[in-house]
Amino acid sequence: MSLKITVAAPFKQMHRAEMDRNQFVFFLALDRKWMNVDQANAVLRLAASSGLVEIENGKVFPAFDVASVSIPLGFRPGPEIFEAPDPCHDLVRRIADATGREENAVIAEMNGVIDGEFDGHLRAGAAAVLLARRYNVTWSDLLPAIREGVLEER
């Protein structure tokens, strides 16, 4: 959540619906002094890969309603914003919540699906989707990120 707040901050503070890539980095690194320039560029790349922003022709556009994000007084992003979200883990958490089981039990069941039903020829993300379908857990919003993760594992 703090990545979303970090991304929303420049747009809210500068009252802009779009900004140049350099303005975005300048705000995070030099204006607020939250991080260095390399880290600010990393935040921008992570936000783009997470679907929080779109970058076209050097312009940055938020892909969410910036007005709906509340920036706490004294907010300063922590190191957790650099951690890439794991859609497979998010889906495991959803399955665990829906079935009332521990995440470890869901992971064990995933491993059973991978080994028992597919002889080890199935990726973890695909196994998580299969389990989500079995338990009627919503997963379609995570599909693009899961698909990307499965393709990167090749």
Side-chain angles (χ1 to χ4, degrees):
M1 185 59 163
S2 72
L3 178 62
K4 191 172 190 178
I5 295 171
T6 303
V7 170
F11 295 103
K12 285 188 82 148
Q13 296 294 317
M14 297 177 74
H15 304 287
R16 309 272 312 262
E18 68 176 56
M19 59 181 48
D20 290 333
R21 180 184 185 103
N22 292 338
Q23 288 176 313
F24 186 89
V25 170
F26 178 86
F27 181 88
L28 298 177
L30 302 172
D31 187 49
R32 296 293 174 199
K33 296 182 176 128
W34 285 344
M35 57 196 72
N36 64 40
V37 173
D38 291 335
Q39 290 172 324
N41 280 309
V43 165
L44 188 56
R45 282 190 303 275
L46 188 57
S49 69
S50 299
L52 292 175
V53 297
E54 295 176 9
I55 303 171
E56 287 183 24
N57 300 325
K59 298 275 189 191
V60 180
F61 303 90
F64 59 95
D65 181 19
V66 174
S68 69
V69 176
S70 175
I71 301 172
L73 187 64
F75 171 77
R76 183 176 185 88
E80 71 277 357
I81 65 169
F82 296 107
E83 297 173 6
D86 182 3
C88 186
H89 186 261
D90 292 344
L91 189 51
V92 167
R93 188 177 307 123
R94 287 183 191 182
I95 295 167
D97 290 344
T99 60
R101 298 185 301 163
E102 294 289 323
E103 289 180 21
N104 291 340
V106 174
I107 292 170
E109 186 176 357
M110 278 175 47
N111 289 333
V113 168
I114 292 168
D115 294 333
E117 297 176 32
F118 292 91
D119 295 326
H121 300 291
L122 187 69
R123 308 266 188 218
V129 169
L130 286 174
L131 286 181
R133 290 187 68 168
R134 285 183 187 169
Y135 295 113
N136 293 322
V137 174
T138 304
W139 56 273
S140 58
D141 60 314
L142 297 174
L143 183 60
I146 290 173
R147 182 181 292 137
E148 184 177 310
V150 167
L151 293 175
E152 286 177 2
E153 289 178 18
R154 285 186 177 176

